[in-house]
Amino acid sequence: MRIVYRYLPTLSLIAMAACLPLVLNPRGNALRVAATALLFAAVAQAWNIVGGLASQISLGHAAFFGIGAYTSTILYLQYSLSPWVGMVAGALLAILAAGLLSVPTFSLKGHYFALATLAFAEVMRVIANSWVSLTGGPVGLTIPFGGSNPLLFQFRSTAAYYWVILTVLVAICSVFYFMSRGKMGYRLRAIRENEDAAEVSGIDTFRVKLWSAMISAGLTACCGTVFAQFTFFFDPDSIFHMSGISIRMAMIAIIGGIGTLSGPVIGALFLIPLEEISTAFLSSSAAGVAQLVFGLILIVAILIQPQGIVATWPGLMQRIHFRRSH
Amino acid sequence: MSFIQSLIDGILIGGVYGIIATGLSLVFGVLGLVNFAHAEFLMVGMYVAWFAWHYLGLDPILAAPLSFAVVFLLGYAVQRHLLDRVMKASPTAQIFLTVGLLIVLENAALVIFGSGFRSVNVPYQVESFRLAGLFVSAPYLYAFGATLVVNLALWLFLERSWIGRGIRAVAQDPMAAILSGVDSKRTYRIAFGLGVGLTAFGGGVILPYITVSPTVGGQFVVLMFTVVVLGGLGSILGALAGGLAVGIIQSFSALFFPISLQNLVLFIIFIGVLAFRPQGLLKGA
Amino acid sequence: MYALKASKLNIIAGILATFLLVCIHPAFGADNEVTIGIVQPLSGPNAQFGINAMHGSELVAETINAQGGIKSLGGARIKLVVADVPTPNTAAAATQRLISQNKVVGIVGTFVSSTTLGVSEVTERAGVPIVTFAFADQITERGYRYVFQVSPKGTAFGQAQLKYAIELGKAGGEAIDKIAILYEDTAYGTAQAKGLREAAVEAGIKVVVDEAYPLGITDVSSLVNKVRTSEAKIVFPVSYLNDSLLIIRTMRQQQMDIPVIGGAAGYIIPDFRKGLGDLAQNVLSVASSNHDLYPDLASRFKDKYGSFMTHEALMHAASLAVLAKAVEKAGSKDPEKVRDALASTDDCDGFARCVPGGCVRFNEAGLNTRAFPIMVQWQGEEPVTVYPKEVARAAAVWHAKSGR
């Protein structure tokens, strides 16, 4: 009973979110924006596992996102394999890639690691662009529509995509939650506070970081598959995009609150609708203004509240209590 | 023949990569942070030189010192008002502050200058010197010459001036430098201004052969990082040598691989060096 | 410590609520308006082309409105809703927004082929017609019902680029046996290069250099070295502006004066001439249209926006006109009826003159079968149509030493 009570707020929030398509027009724009926000919350949470928990700042997670999108789409187009199966295949491939990438990069710290991951995403982009027989090259891949078919990950209404994305988000958040607790969480925290000290006290830091990197990459690839199915089209430039994908997922986690469970969700619910509204209202008059605003938000967030939106709340509450007590 | 031609082209463009990357390396060496927005200062430098050419009729290579001056001040202000605050913060805050700066600079340029490509028009753009069947491109040669002059000036500045010595002292051991009376904050600001200024100077000298637009930084960002990593992050001489190496690699790889894979070659070297010799290939072991 | 606390739930709920409030505002658009969506890259590297294209569509919409709007709908005015799509991954979201929020009857755009592929995946599922100028072959090869393309296919441009060159060369007294193809590795570059290659095989011409290069290349000297040592008689570069300036300047540095026949995009915009000055003189390029085919409209464009009307502006003007005419014919704002009217378009007057040949008729795939590529040449300050003969405004100058 106590467990139920403990998780009650979270569960009721998930239930509320699941009911959203019943309130909104199931084929309308608002629902699509909501689905996009949840998708980016999911991918930011996946990034958060390696960026927040293991404190390894990756600027190249688009590599895994793209691996997920390409694997499932190529398997579907060339071998008529359902994207659901392709999603698992993509995740496995991304885990493998993350494992291989870890060998040379995980001794790198901070800025060096960020640089190496950035280059890795670029390598993936060049390969996708040049290996035309496999990836279709620079033209990109489109996902043909053959009517609603849940087994083939094809739906007519946005609501179905929304529910799939919500499920993915809940799953990734659960992974994050369980990784941040227990032995694994303890080890990750130790590494985050002081890696050398953690190593000395008997934690196999390489193994712990490797695990989080592989789990993060696999989950990011799952999101990539969902993204491809949801937008029907992608090309090497857009799926491996540095600012559009890699930086964006990190930015969401950071603005929401890096290393926290709710941070990426809050960050995405704040940034994605803001982005949507500003591009809808500004794009015909002043191109670039919307992006400019995002850059400013990122800078201000880091200078004023590096812990993200999540952290402003307790502070605000405290201040209110403080005033009251006087 | 084509080997020698490639070597000449490689050395000339490599020298320019060197000066562009020296600024990035200087910033890392002194401040200990990787400035992801660095290529955007190249873009600003190019715009300054373009306006100087357009309105004052100044040759872009002669306008490059003006690019340096303007961007030095901009960099000084950025360090003073933004980066100063994260010098002791986590790498996450440092990385994403410069990433934010990248987004702001690129889009501010788009809002202010518009999206059009701007190119200068100077007579030597289409000239070259012929040497026994080889071509030495005039704009490449002049750009290379200008970078040599600046390198010499930088060396003199760092070796002989008090500020230069302060910069080197902070780069070597910040604590010791502070204890011996170096104003570290001021040094950081000058070093950052100098770093982005040098890159902006590079922007001026390449303007005769590269058009400027708000997204031009993206064309150089990976190149710049590869040069710096190859030469060893923080090493100025390394950056120059790395620039030459990248120029020559780029030029030679075109002889053996399709040019569309040119960047792939660079990236793989980049990751490899980062992983196995993070102190840089060209730095003495 | 990572469990969701009640206080954080409040934030999430609060954000959700605000977001809902903002998103559920009613679709605007009064009864006497027909809303058409314009999707173009207005920021990012292709912004300049997107803005030109948007201006072309705007000019036509203004003209139609000034002439009394859509008459079958009681003089309804055309209202354009513009969406900026700088990269293909924003295409789906923007298109969905135009369709479900602004209730557009159809969409015009985009300049970029890959973005158009993304947009048309959404319009196909939603059953809303899109009229486009972009010409990657895949756009009309997917068997889609709602896609209409006013320009010929990308490979057709590549083929024309070579075929016209051979004929112009013949007229100029030169037989072409070896050529060089240089193209950027984008959807547009690869499609057009494919056409060039095919046409070369067909004509029995040897392709001595066939190189893709990365978009945003900063040094083309090795590329030009290859062309020089290959002894190609003509260079066919397919690229945007920066690369086109680089290629031509580097060729001049290496004292090469073989003809350059550009592949549209960067070769026929005002900045090409601004960047190269007199070196631009006599450079040939394939194009989907040219301002001298429709001087009245082009001069109004120039008065309003300050430069000559580029081919993307002309073709997007035609695209909007075709869509508006379909609405007129359907007498309805129902996208399905507008699609049917578009499918039966057979139009040879008015703004159809923006398209070479002056006619628009779509085949089953949605391709305009009446359109054909043209060849233009920089003569003086602006490009002039020089081929095919029936639309030529001046004779081509062959193999004149470019510039000075």
Side-chain angles (χ1 to χ4, degrees):
Chain A
M1 208 48 218
R2 266 183 67 187
I3 288 176
V4 173
Y5 178 73
R6 201 170 144 206
Y7 290 109
L8 195 62
T10 314
L11 288 173
S12 56
L13 190 75
I14 295 170
M16 261 170 62
C19 290
L20 198 64
L22 308 177
V23 190
L24 296 174
N25 174 6
R27 297 182 69 175
N29 190 46
L31 190 61
R32 192 185 168 86
V33 177
T36 311
L38 296 190
L39 180 57
F40 272 96
V43 73
Q45 190 71 279
W47 181 89
N48 205 16
I49 290 173
V50 70
L53 288 182
S55 279
Q56 292 279 65
I57 301 300
S58 162
L59 288 182
H61 253 46
F64 308 119
F65 196 69
I67 288 175
Y70 267 108
T71 308
S72 66
T73 310
I74 290 170
L75 288 177
Y76 176 57
L77 294 177
Q78 297 195 354
Y79 304 99
S80 320
L81 214 62
S82 163
W84 294 113
V85 183
M87 189 178 192
V88 178
L92 290 175
L93 212 59
I95 289 170
L96 187 69
L100 290 177
L101 183 68
S102 292
V103 176
T105 59
F106 257 42
S107 53
L108 302 174
K109 283 180 193 144
H111 297 99
Y112 287 90
F113 182 78
L115 279 174
T117 50
L118 187 142
F120 179 61
E122 282 292 298
V123 166
M124 294 309 296
R125 188 182 63 79
V126 176
I127 291 175
N129 222 24
S130 313
W131 195 350
V132 179
S133 58
L134 182 74
T135 62
V139 181
L141 292 175
T142 58
I143 290 152
F145 185 56
S148 262
N149 188 345
L151 285 179
L152 289 180
F153 208 141
Q154 294 265 17
F155 310 102
R156 202 171 272 281
S157 94
T158 312
Y161 288 103
Y162 175 89
W163 281 315
V164 171
I165 289 168
L166 183 64
T167 312
V168 171
L169 173 63
V170 170
I172 294 179
C173 287
S174 311
V175 172
F176 181 91
Y177 179 67
F178 288 109
M179 279 189 75
S180 63
R181 295 161 62 85
K183 269 187 191 160
M184 189 75 174
Y186 162 74
R187 288 176 185 145
L188 282 164
R189 270 199 300 284
I191 292 172
R192 188 167 58 181
E193 296 309 326
N194 187 336
E195 189 167 338
D196 295 331
E199 183 81 51
V200 169
S201 46
I203 295 174
D204 186 347
T205 56
F206 178 79
R207 223 173 97 180
V208 173
K209 287 199 290 185
L210 182 65
W211 267 105
S212 57
M214 294 202 299
I215 292 172
S216 170
L219 294 173
T220 306
C222 291
C223 295
T225 300
V226 177
F227 179 82
Q229 292 299 124
F230 184 56
T231 54
F232 324 125
F233 171 82
F234 59 92
D235 64 356
D237 271 349
S238 57
I239 202 85
F240 294 114
H241 206 265
M242 188 173 94
S243 60
I245 307 288
S246 290
I247 289 181
R248 198 196 299 186
M249 60 176 96
M251 188 168 147
I252 286 169
I254 288 168
I255 288 181
I258 186 169
T260 63
L261 176 63
S262 51
V265 181
I266 291 174
L269 288 180
F270 170 67
L271 278 179
I272 302 291
L274 184 70
E275 189 171 22
E276 189 65 22
I277 291 163
S278 54
T279 46
F281 289 103
L282 291 177
S283 67
S284 54
S285 50
V289 173
Q291 288 301 314
L292 184 64
V293 171
F294 286 130
L296 289 173
I297 290 177
L298 182 60
I299 290 178
V300 169
I302 283 166
L303 291 183
I304 293 175
Q305 185 49 275
Q307 264 71 51
I309 299 175
V310 177
T312 59
W313 191 252
L316 210 64
M317 289 310 278
Q318 239 169 23
R319 238 178 264 169
I320 294 168
H321 284 302
F322 187 71
R323 289 227 179 99
R324 272 192 199 144
S325 63
H326 273 71
Chain B
M1 205 62 166
S2 54
F3 271 94
I4 304 172
Q5 181 72 56
S6 294
L7 188 66
I8 294 174
D9 289 336
I11 289 173
L12 292 183
I13 55 170
V16 177
Y17 294 162
I19 196 72
I20 290 173
T22 297
L24 181 61
S25 207
L26 183 74
V27 168
F28 184 84
V30 179
L31 286 82
L33 63 85
V34 173
N35 178 16
F36 285 91
H38 209 81
E40 303 308 316
F41 291 96
L42 177 89
M43 180 263 301
V44 178
M46 289 177 83
Y47 271 111
V48 172
W50 188 87
F51 280 105
W53 168 80
H54 191 75
Y55 290 107
L56 308 174
L58 224 54
D59 185 281
I61 293 181
L62 298 178
L66 189 65
S67 301
F68 172 85
V70 171
V71 174
F72 175 86
L73 294 176
L74 178 65
Y76 192 95
V78 164
Q79 178 68 33
R80 161 99 176 63
H81 295 288
L82 301 176
L83 291 174
D84 262 0
R85 299 162 188 239
V86 293
M87 290 310 291
K88 293 198 178 72
S90 66
T92 315
Q94 296 177 344
I95 290 171
F96 282 93
L97 188 64
T98 60
V99 166
L101 202 58
L102 181 160
I103 301 172
V104 167
L105 284 173
E106 181 180 322
N107 289 288
L110 180 64
V111 172
I112 298 168
F113 305 126
S115 59
F117 301 89
R118 294 166 197 248
S119 168
V120 295
N121 237 322
V122 286
Y124 58 83
Q125 253 168 345
V126 292
E127 283 166 11
S128 64
F129 303 98
R130 287 203 76 161
L131 275 173
L134 297 169
F135 291 92
V136 180
S137 149
Y140 284 7
L141 186 68
Y142 297 155
F144 186 78
T147 60
L148 284 186
V149 173
V150 168
N151 277 323
L152 192 67
L154 177 68
W155 182 78
L156 282 175
F157 173 76
L158 290 179
E159 287 294 318
R160 300 290 161 83
S161 75
W162 275 107
I163 304 172
R165 286 177 192 172
I167 289 176
R168 281 191 299 140
V170 173
Q172 254 171 27
D173 188 341
M175 272 322 278
I178 292 163
L179 287 177
S180 42
V182 176
D183 179 351
S184 71
K185 280 205 161 163
R186 183 156 160 269
T187 308
Y188 284 152
R189 289 167 195 168
I190 291 174
F192 191 81
L194 197 61
V196 294
L198 284 170
T199 301
F201 182 90
V205 302
I206 61 172
L207 198 57
Y209 58 95
I210 306 274
T211 49
V212 57
S213 70
T215 49
V216 73
Q219 296 174 16
F220 284 91
V221 71
V222 176
L223 239 159
M224 214 181 251
F225 284 129
T226 314
V227 169
V228 170
V229 165
L230 213 59
L233 268 165
S235 155
I236 288 170
L237 267 177
L240 291 174
L244 290 175
V246 166
I248 294 169
I249 291 169
Q250 241 190 2
S251 204
F252 273 121
S253 72
L255 290 178
F256 307 110
F257 301 107
I259 290 175
S260 52
L261 296 183
Q262 200 176 45
N263 285 343
L264 193 65
V265 176
L266 282 184
F267 296 141
I268 290 171
I269 293 175
F270 179 87
I271 296 181
V273 171
L274 208 48
F276 300 109
R277 269 189 80 86
Q279 74 273 37
L281 258 195
L282 306 160
K283 216 173 184 180
Chain C
M1 84 183 263
Y2 289 101
L4 279 173
K5 288 186 189 122
S7 61
K8 285 175 193 162
L9 291 180
N10 286 338
I11 314 184
I12 299 185
I15 295 176
L16 261 176
T18 2
F19 158 66
L20 282 180
L21 275 177
V22 178
C23 281
I24 322 181
H25 63 81
F28 36 86
D31 275 348
N32 57 344
E33 273 179 347
V34 172
T35 316
I36 291 176
I38 301 282
V39 183
Q40 292 295 356
L42 303 174
S43 53
N46 288 317
Q48 214 191 3
F49 299 97
I51 291 167
N52 261 333
M54 178 179 75
H55 286 161
S57 303
E58 270 176 11
L59 189 62
V60 167
E62 280 165 23
T63 314
I64 293 175
N65 286 342
Q67 289 167 355
I70 306 285
K71 299 190 178 75
S72 65
L73 288 171
R77 294 173 56 78
I78 295 174
K79 181 186 156 75
L80 300 182
V81 187
V82 181
D84 174 21
V85 178
T87 56
N89 57 5
T90 49
T95 312
Q96 189 77 48
R97 186 177 71 234
L98 291 177
I99 292 171
S100 55
Q101 192 136 324
N102 304 103
K103 314 276 181 223
V104 296
V105 298
I107 284 174
V108 171
T110 75
F111 174 77
V112 182
S113 290
S114 44
T115 306
T116 309
L117 286 166
V119 172
S120 59
E121 289 294 336
V122 178
T123 51
E124 190 69 17
R125 285 164 173 79
V128 172
I130 170 170
V131 185
T132 184
F133 146 85
F135 42 74
D137 290 13
Q138 284 87 341
I139 292 172
T140 50
E141 278 176 356
R142 291 165 298 172
Y144 281 4
R145 282 186 79 226
Y146 295 87
V147 178
F148 298 92
Q149 179 178 320
V150 290
S151 45
K153 280 204 257 188
T155 42
F157 275 98
Q159 285 161 355
Q161 200 178 345
L162 184 74
K163 239 177 67 196
Y164 293 178
I166 295 173
E167 281 160 39
L168 287 175
K170 212 184 277 168
E174 182 170 11
I176 296 153
D177 53 351
K178 288 181 191 164
I179 61 163
I181 305 174
L182 310 175
Y183 60 102
E184 51 164 53
D185 61 354
T186 60
Y188 145 73
T190 44
Q192 206 157 315
K194 184 167 160 256
L196 274 165
R197 218 171 285 134
E198 286 170 4
V201 170
E202 208 176 292
I205 289 174
K206 219 168 143 193
V207 181
V208 284
V209 177
D210 187 352
E211 284 268 5
Y213 61 82
L215 187 66
I217 190 167
T218 52
D219 166 44
V220 297
S221 51
S222 41
L223 209 56
V224 173
N225 277 336
K226 275 191 186 177
V227 177
R228 186 165 46 83
T229 49
S230 75
E231 295 179 335
K233 292 270 178 66
I234 303 192
V235 189
F236 293 92
V238 182
S239 63
Y240 287 107
L241 184 73
N242 186 43
D243 332 350
S244 68
L245 298 184
L246 265 176
I247 289 171
I248 289 185
R249 282 179 187 152
T250 310
M251 281 179 65
R252 289 298 303 158
Q253 279 173 17
Q254 306 200 359
Q255 292 159 19
M256 293 169 68
D257 53 10
I258 57 173
V260 174
I261 298 179
Y267 290 84
I268 45 176
I269 54 175
D271 282 349
F272 183 76
R273 159 92 202 172
K274 265 191 227 159
L276 284 179
D278 288 342
L279 280 183
Q281 188 70 0
N282 294 337
V283 170
L284 288 152
S285 174
V286 72
S288 65
S289 184
N290 196 29
H291 62 97
D292 57 8
L293 298 182
Y294 198 166
D296 313 351
L297 188 70
S299 71
R300 280 176 47 213
F301 186 93
K302 196 171 183 175
D303 289 344
K304 186 156 185 202
Y305 302 109
S307 62
F308 71 81
M309 194 166 183
T310 55
H311 78 141
E312 68 268 12
L314 279 156
M315 293 305 266
H316 281 100
S319 303
L320 188 85
V322 166
L323 184 58
K325 218 155 198 183
V327 176
E328 177 81 75
K329 195 167 155 192
S332 159
K333 294 185 201 172
D334 178 10
E336 191 62 40
K337 288 185 181 140
V338 174
R339 187 222 87 95
D340 292 341
L342 268 171
S344 65
T345 297
D346 189 1
D347 196 7
C348 286
D349 56 85
F351 293 109
R353 283 172 58 202
C354 295
V355 184
C359 292
V360 178
R361 181 161 66 204
F362 297 112
N363 66 8
E364 272 181 11
L367 195 62
N368 179 6
T369 51
R370 305 293 294 271
F372 52 85
I374 57 169
M375 190 70 94
V376 300
Q377 184 170 41
W378 284 90
Q379 297 182 356
E381 294 293 313
E382 288 169 358
V384 177
T385 311
V386 294
Y387 201 85
K389 284 205 184 64
E390 59 267 30
V391 291
R393 294 290 186 270
V397 181
W398 185 257
H399 208 264
K401 306 266 181 218
S402 25
R404 303 171 297 160

